[in-house]
Amino acid sequence: MKLAYFAWVRERIGIAEEEVALPAGIVTVGDLLHWLKGRGETYDAALQAPEIIRVAIDHEHVDHSEPLGGAREVAIFPPMTGG
């Protein structure tokens, strides 16, 4: 699965995108964010407050309870502001 990081999430993790093979048990977006936090200091710094992180699966915004099944790309980014 391709993970793409944007804005300060990308800056804190230090990469724009990566391919990952998810371990068994990672079923939802929330599971993914929790797993990513455990991958090291840079991920933990980027995902300190996972509840504010926005996520899109295959270019469609989703809630953290959304299943990942069949996803080709998951985009992870901070909250958006503006009007």
Side-chain angles (χ1 to χ4, degrees):
M1 171 183 303
K2 177 182 174 182
L3 302 180
Y5 307 110
F6 295 92
W8 56 255
V9 173
R10 177 185 63 228
E11 292 168 9
R12 291 177 186 175
I13 291 175
I15 57 174
E17 62 184 46
E18 63 181 321
E19 291 284 336
V20 297
L22 297 180
I26 307 301
V27 178
T28 67
V29 168
D31 295 337
L32 172 65
L33 295 176
H34 180 75
W35 176 71
L36 286 171
K37 271 189 69 140
R39 291 185 74 201
E41 289 181 22
T42 58
Y43 291 91
D44 186 50
L47 303 170
Q48 287 178 24
E51 66 278 2
I52 69 166
I53 297 296
R54 302 289 309 235
V55 178
I57 295 177
D58 297 328
H59 305 281
E60 183 175 325
H61 290 264
V62 297
D63 292 327
H64 289 193
S65 61
E66 186 74 21
L68 292 167
R72 291 181 307 278
E73 178 184 77
V74 177
I76 301 171
F77 46 94
M80 295 177 279
T81 61

